[in-house]
Amino acid sequence: MHDANLLVAILRGITPAEAEGHLGALIDEGFRYLEIPLNSPDWQRSIPQMVRRFGDRAVIGGGTVLNVDQVEVLAQAGATLVVTPNTHPPVIRRAAAQGMRVCAGCATVTEAFAALEAGAQWLKIFPASAFGPAYISALRAVLPPAVPVLAVGGVTPENLRDYLNAGCRGAGLGSELYRAGQGVEVTRRQARRFMAALGHPVVPD
C-alpha cells in the first residue's frame, strides 16, 4: 500500500450486518486502511468477514487492541492492522511478530520511542485535539523521519491539513467520518470530504 498520506477509517460501533456497505463505500472513495475497534458489537465476526470480502483491496484490522489474546484472534482472522490506544510493548511485540502492521497510541516522546523499540511501524498521537499541531510538530522533530505519525482524535476535514503541515503522514478518522448507526451515504459523503481535504486519493501501489 502507498504510504504517502495515510487516512485510517475508524468504524467504532459498526455491526457485522452493516460492515460490508460502509467498508465498501470507503474503499470506493479511496480509503485503504480500515479499523474496526474491538469495543464494537461482535467484532469477532465483522473483522474476518471484512478481511475475506475486502482483504485484497485494503489493509483491514482491529483497533483498541489491549492484550495479546486479542492480537492472536486478529491474526487468526487474517487481519493485517493492529491499532492500540496506548503503548503496551507486549501487544506491540506480538503483533509485529505476527507480521502485522502496528499503529501504537502514544502522547509523549518516551512513549513514542518505547513503541518503536517494541516494533511499532506507525505512531498515533492521541488525543490529537488536546495537544494540537504545534505539539505534534515538536514531537515529530525528535522522531525518526521515516516513521509515519498519525493524528487521531478530533481530526476534521477542516483541520486535517493543519496536522499534515505539522508533520503527520495522515490521520485516524473516527466520529467525523463514521458514527454508529449512520447511513452508508453519510459515510460516503464524509469520505469524500476527507479525500478532498487530503488533496489526492490514497491509492494502492
Side-chain angles (χ1 to χ4, degrees):
M1 293 290 171
H2 178 62
D3 284 359
N5 279 312
L6 307 172
L7 294 185
V8 179
I10 303 169
L11 297 153
R12 191 177 307 279
I14 201 160
T15 67
E18 299 168 315
E20 182 171 352
H22 289 274
L23 270 71
L26 289 164
I27 291 170
D28 286 347
E29 297 303 326
F31 279 78
R32 293 296 178 264
Y33 301 96
L34 305 163
E35 165 198 340
I36 296 177
L38 303 195
N39 53 4
S40 302
D42 208 3
W43 63 268
Q44 297 94 332
R45 284 180 56 209
S46 296
I47 292 176
Q49 287 174 359
M50 293 306 98
V51 168
R52 287 193 296 270
R53 178 67 179 85
F54 297 115
D56 60 338
R57 299 176 61 195
V59 175
I60 297 171
T64 318
V65 180
L66 300 174
N67 58 61
V68 171
D69 289 344
Q70 292 173 338
V71 173
E72 295 298 336
V73 174
L74 289 168
Q76 292 170 12
T80 52
L81 174 66
V82 165
V83 183
T84 71
N86 58 349
T87 302
H88 188 44
V91 167
I92 297 168
R93 282 195 293 267
R94 187 57 186 155
Q98 292 277 20
M100 304 165 90
R101 192 182 310 250
V102 185
C103 180
C106 60
T108 67
V109 170
T110 299
E111 292 173 350
F113 278 102
L116 294 176
E117 184 176 354
Q121 299 98 333
W122 298 354
L123 299 173
K124 79 173 196 184
I125 309 303
F126 176 83
S129 59
F131 296 106
Y135 176 86
I136 294 177
S137 180
L139 187 64
R140 172 79 274 182
V142 299
L143 294 174
V147 174
V149 172
L150 278 64
V152 181
V155 180
T156 69
E158 290 75 25
N159 66 24
L160 173 61
R161 183 56 54 182
D162 294 335
Y163 288 104
L164 298 179
N165 290 340
C168 290
R169 196 80 61 82
L173 309 174
S175 60
E176 287 290 327
L177 177 65
Y178 172 81
R179 294 176 186 266
Q182 77 183 25
V184 171
E185 287 311 310
V186 177
T187 300
R188 187 181 299 278
R189 181 171 67 246
Q190 290 301 96
R192 288 175 177 170
R193 292 182 65 213
F194 275 108
M195 283 296 168
L198 185 63
H200 61 80
V202 178
V203 296
D205 290 336

